[in-house]
Amino acid sequence: MSELRIYNSLHRQKEVFTPLHPGHVGMYVCGPTVSGESHLGHARPYITFDVVFRYLKYLGYKVRYVRNITDAGHFEEEGRAAEDKISKFAVLEKLEPMELVQKYTNLYHWAMLQFGCQEPSIEPTATGHIIEQIEMIKTIMEKGYAYEVDGSVYFDVKKYAANYDYGILSGRILEDMLETTRELEGQDDKHNKADFALWKKAPPEHLMRWPSPWGEGFPGWHIECSAMSAKYLGGQFDIHGGGMDLQFPHHECEIAQSEIAHGEMMARYWMHNNMITINGRKMGKAYNNTIKLTEMFTGSNPQLEKPYSPMTIRFFVLQTHYRGTLDFSNEALQAAEKGLQRLWAAYETLQKLTYSSNGEGINEELDNQVRTWCQECPEFMNDDFNTAKVLANLFELTPVINSLKGGQIKMHEISEDTFNGLQQTWKTYLVDILGIQQETVSGEDNKLDGVLQMLIEMRKEAKSRKDYATSDKIRNELLSIGVQLKDEKDGSVSYSLQ
Ligand code: ZN
């Protein structure tokens, strides 16, 4: 089998993956800020890295996957005034900040469960690691790369850039950044515009605050990931992941802080998933087009024609390579929904089939083709986790499976080995690695399905005794309440709700 190759954003090329400690992988992925509900954009990184996590384990690695929860801190975004989102929203909702944090953490966990994402090995919170963050800031100050001004501590980017490669990940040059960064109100105490906060003094109205050597305050955003990854994975670890929007400033700042505190590049492979756009536009509050995950699942957003199930969204995400742009539209989601149904039906059919041969010769061409489509799946995953190509091959195999069931292709036309490989490939890639699973149906859906199956059976019985008046009545009555029956080629009957 070929080696796993990962596109390393740090060197802008694919590289053979070699872990620091043979057999073990340390992976850190920037988690959500739990100041509000997760939206569609959040689905992509967590589904992407869930597949990376699953595949590394499948390859036999012992993986420690750390994904944090940002539940405190000072947020600094490029070109925007800094604010502490958690405290701000907590006041608006008249809640204790930690109550708000808990509410959105629970919602996030629930959404991850719906998506079939496996739980990370460790899920540290920023508020649970204030001491580690303060210790790290102290180290950076001792080494001369941070300074205190009136209770706040800033990282000295200019000094760092003079001695290290600031911009190594994002490819940005300090001079450019200084040119484009606007003078922000209330940040005059920084020595340079490019400097970023490691610790912020808490104004009197600020709810979340902790004592520190510099007075009461709260940590900067970037420092939490540097402190928590070092605590659980070491000063240097294997994979650091996140969305492309985190490359700058977040990951660039993480690299600088960790370099000074630990004397090495924090992670060896940097992976970034591309963004989700909506009808070709960037998604965001500024565009008034964000869709919350709960809205996706229920269809309660004017941009949605209907609800989309979590598995449909997972499938939609994995149908595109993680570094490619992914454009959301109702058409694309509905196509994904149909595709998933087709694939899942083929998977269920395949698992029920058993091999039998009457001794007649195999069809070499078909046998080779099926074998090749299966053998390519690990090759595609090893080529920077190309889930899109794996799914394309499963689609190629779908008509073969359906024909094996329908009898258009006789079982003896492929070898027993090939058949076993086919069954194994679907189980391994579709279920174990891509994490596609049967949608969990609610109790109500179960009851409805039971009733409909009963009516389908009654119609079948009516047909078999040539009572077409009754069989037509059942079909037409169901149609009038929005249930369409469909006679399948293999003699079975399916239904769809309209
Ligand atoms: Zn982070």
Side-chain angles (χ1 to χ4, degrees), residues 136-152:
M136 194 167 168
I137 295 168
K138 277 159 68 180
T139 305
I140 296 169
M141 287 182 86
E142 279 160 19
K143 295 196 175 175
Y145 281 86
Y147 55 90
E148 186 201 340
V149 181
D150 186 29
S152 293

mmCIF file of all heavy atoms in Angstrom, residues 136-152:
data_model
loop_
_atom_site.group_PDB
_atom_site.id
_atom_site.type_symbol
_atom_site.label_atom_id
_atom_site.label_comp_id
_atom_site.label_asym_id
_atom_site.label_seq_id
_atom_site.Cartn_x
_atom_site.Cartn_y
_atom_site.Cartn_z
ATOM 1 N N MET A 136 2.723 30.273 30.534
ATOM 2 C CA MET A 136 3.340 30.415 29.214
ATOM 3 C C MET A 136 3.641 31.884 28.900
ATOM 4 O O MET A 136 4.696 32.213 28.349
ATOM 5 C CB MET A 136 2.414 29.822 28.144
ATOM 6 C CG MET A 136 3.119 29.618 26.828
ATOM 7 S SD MET A 136 2.130 28.599 25.723
ATOM 8 C CE MET A 136 3.052 28.877 24.214
ATOM 9 N N ILE A 137 2.726 32.760 29.285
ATOM 10 C CA ILE A 137 2.946 34.199 29.065
ATOM 11 C C ILE A 137 4.176 34.656 29.864
ATOM 12 O O ILE A 137 5.013 35.415 29.362
ATOM 13 C CB ILE A 137 1.685 35.006 29.465
ATOM 14 C CG1 ILE A 137 0.507 34.644 28.548
ATOM 15 C CG2 ILE A 137 1.975 36.515 29.398
ATOM 16 C CD1 ILE A 137 -0.855 35.147 29.026
ATOM 17 N N LYS A 138 4.296 34.148 31.091
ATOM 18 C CA LYS A 138 5.460 34.510 31.923
ATOM 19 C C LYS A 138 6.771 34.092 31.233
ATOM 20 O O LYS A 138 7.751 34.848 31.199
ATOM 21 C CB LYS A 138 5.355 33.848 33.313
ATOM 22 C CG LYS A 138 4.463 34.664 34.267
ATOM 23 C CD LYS A 138 3.923 33.866 35.435
ATOM 24 C CE LYS A 138 4.932 33.421 36.445
ATOM 25 N NZ LYS A 138 4.269 32.635 37.541
ATOM 26 N N THR A 139 6.766 32.887 30.670
ATOM 27 C CA THR A 139 7.965 32.399 29.964
ATOM 28 C C THR A 139 8.307 33.304 28.784
ATOM 29 O O THR A 139 9.471 33.670 28.573
ATOM 30 C CB THR A 139 7.727 30.951 29.455
ATOM 31 O OG1 THR A 139 7.351 30.148 30.564
ATOM 32 C CG2 THR A 139 8.959 30.380 28.787
ATOM 33 N N ILE A 140 7.289 33.677 28.016
ATOM 34 C CA ILE A 140 7.524 34.529 26.841
ATOM 35 C C ILE A 140 8.081 35.891 27.274
ATOM 36 O O ILE A 140 8.995 36.436 26.648
ATOM 37 C CB ILE A 140 6.218 34.678 26.010
ATOM 38 C CG1 ILE A 140 5.783 33.320 25.437
ATOM 39 C CG2 ILE A 140 6.406 35.685 24.880
ATOM 40 C CD1 ILE A 140 4.387 33.296 24.836
ATOM 41 N N MET A 141 7.565 36.404 28.398
ATOM 42 C CA MET A 141 8.070 37.691 28.912
ATOM 43 C C MET A 141 9.521 37.569 29.368
ATOM 44 O O MET A 141 10.355 38.419 29.065
ATOM 45 C CB MET A 141 7.202 38.177 30.078
ATOM 46 C CG MET A 141 5.840 38.676 29.635
ATOM 47 S SD MET A 141 4.871 39.307 31.023
ATOM 48 C CE MET A 141 5.459 40.994 31.109
ATOM 49 N N GLU A 142 9.813 36.450 30.068
ATOM 50 C CA GLU A 142 11.190 36.230 30.538
ATOM 51 C C GLU A 142 12.166 36.171 29.369
ATOM 52 O O GLU A 142 13.308 36.593 29.475
ATOM 53 C CB GLU A 142 11.276 34.903 31.320
ATOM 54 C CG GLU A 142 10.794 35.027 32.762
ATOM 55 C CD GLU A 142 10.423 33.671 33.365
ATOM 56 O OE1 GLU A 142 10.873 32.631 32.826
ATOM 57 O OE2 GLU A 142 9.662 33.664 34.356
ATOM 58 N N LYS A 143 11.703 35.643 28.252
ATOM 59 C CA LYS A 143 12.579 35.530 27.078
ATOM 60 C C LYS A 143 12.633 36.828 26.277
ATOM 61 O O LYS A 143 13.295 36.894 25.237
ATOM 62 C CB LYS A 143 12.130 34.357 26.213
ATOM 63 C CG LYS A 143 12.306 33.029 26.959
ATOM 64 C CD LYS A 143 12.262 31.822 26.069
ATOM 65 C CE LYS A 143 12.564 30.572 26.901
ATOM 66 N NZ LYS A 143 12.430 29.320 26.150
ATOM 67 N N GLY A 144 11.892 37.822 26.744
ATOM 68 C CA GLY A 144 11.981 39.146 26.136
ATOM 69 C C GLY A 144 11.113 39.392 24.916
ATOM 70 O O GLY A 144 11.341 40.326 24.156
ATOM 71 N N TYR A 145 10.089 38.547 24.722
ATOM 72 C CA TYR A 145 9.255 38.717 23.534
ATOM 73 C C TYR A 145 7.824 39.179 23.850
ATOM 74 O O TYR A 145 6.944 39.069 23.023
ATOM 75 C CB TYR A 145 9.229 37.415 22.715
ATOM 76 C CG TYR A 145 10.486 37.244 21.895
ATOM 77 C CD1 TYR A 145 11.623 36.657 22.438
ATOM 78 C CD2 TYR A 145 10.544 37.702 20.577
ATOM 79 C CE1 TYR A 145 12.781 36.522 21.705
ATOM 80 C CE2 TYR A 145 11.699 37.573 19.823
ATOM 81 C CZ TYR A 145 12.825 36.983 20.390
ATOM 82 O OH TYR A 145 13.969 36.854 19.652
ATOM 83 N N ALA A 146 7.639 39.649 25.074
ATOM 84 C CA ALA A 146 6.326 40.192 25.417
ATOM 85 C C ALA A 146 6.538 41.313 26.429
ATOM 86 O O ALA A 146 7.527 41.321 27.149
ATOM 87 C CB ALA A 146 5.433 39.104 25.991
ATOM 88 N N TYR A 147 5.620 42.275 26.442
ATOM 89 C CA TYR A 147 5.764 43.405 27.352
ATOM 90 C C TYR A 147 4.405 43.742 27.963
ATOM 91 O O TYR A 147 3.355 43.440 27.376
ATOM 92 C CB TYR A 147 6.328 44.619 26.597
ATOM 93 C CG TYR A 147 5.513 45.009 25.382
ATOM 94 C CD1 TYR A 147 4.465 45.931 25.483
ATOM 95 C CD2 TYR A 147 5.774 44.448 24.127
ATOM 96 C CE1 TYR A 147 3.704 46.275 24.377
ATOM 97 C CE2 TYR A 147 5.023 44.791 23.016
ATOM 98 C CZ TYR A 147 3.986 45.700 23.138
ATOM 99 O OH TYR A 147 3.227 46.034 22.044
ATOM 100 N N GLU A 148 4.463 44.319 29.142
ATOM 101 C CA GLU A 148 3.231 44.661 29.840
ATOM 102 C C GLU A 148 2.971 46.158 29.726
ATOM 103 O O GLU A 148 3.887 46.972 29.846
ATOM 104 C CB GLU A 148 3.351 44.279 31.320
ATOM 105 C CG GLU A 148 2.057 44.485 32.074
ATOM 106 C CD GLU A 148 2.246 44.606 33.584
ATOM 107 O OE1 GLU A 148 3.287 44.177 34.088
ATOM 108 O OE2 GLU A 148 1.340 45.160 34.235
ATOM 109 N N VAL A 149 1.734 46.512 29.455
ATOM 110 C CA VAL A 149 1.323 47.910 29.484
ATOM 111 C C VAL A 149 0.009 47.986 30.254
ATOM 112 O O VAL A 149 -0.991 47.401 29.810
ATOM 113 C CB VAL A 149 1.096 48.488 28.054
ATOM 114 C CG1 VAL A 149 0.685 49.955 28.134
ATOM 115 C CG2 VAL A 149 2.327 48.338 27.186
ATOM 116 N N ASP A 150 0.025 48.625 31.397
ATOM 117 C CA ASP A 150 -1.200 48.871 32.157
ATOM 118 C C ASP A 150 -2.082 47.625 32.331
ATOM 119 O O ASP A 150 -3.264 47.627 31.984
ATOM 120 C CB ASP A 150 -1.992 50.001 31.461
ATOM 121 C CG ASP A 150 -3.209 50.425 32.278
ATOM 122 O OD1 ASP A 150 -3.165 50.297 33.526
ATOM 123 O OD2 ASP A 150 -4.218 50.849 31.668
ATOM 124 N N GLY A 151 -1.492 46.545 32.813
ATOM 125 C CA GLY A 151 -2.282 45.354 33.122
ATOM 126 C C GLY A 151 -2.547 44.413 31.950
ATOM 127 O O GLY A 151 -3.135 43.353 32.124
ATOM 128 N N SER A 152 -2.123 44.835 30.753
ATOM 129 C CA SER A 152 -2.264 43.948 29.592
ATOM 130 C C SER A 152 -0.875 43.533 29.127
ATOM 131 O O SER A 152 0.092 44.266 29.324
ATOM 132 C CB SER A 152 -2.978 44.669 28.447
ATOM 133 O OG SER A 152 -4.315 44.946 28.801
#
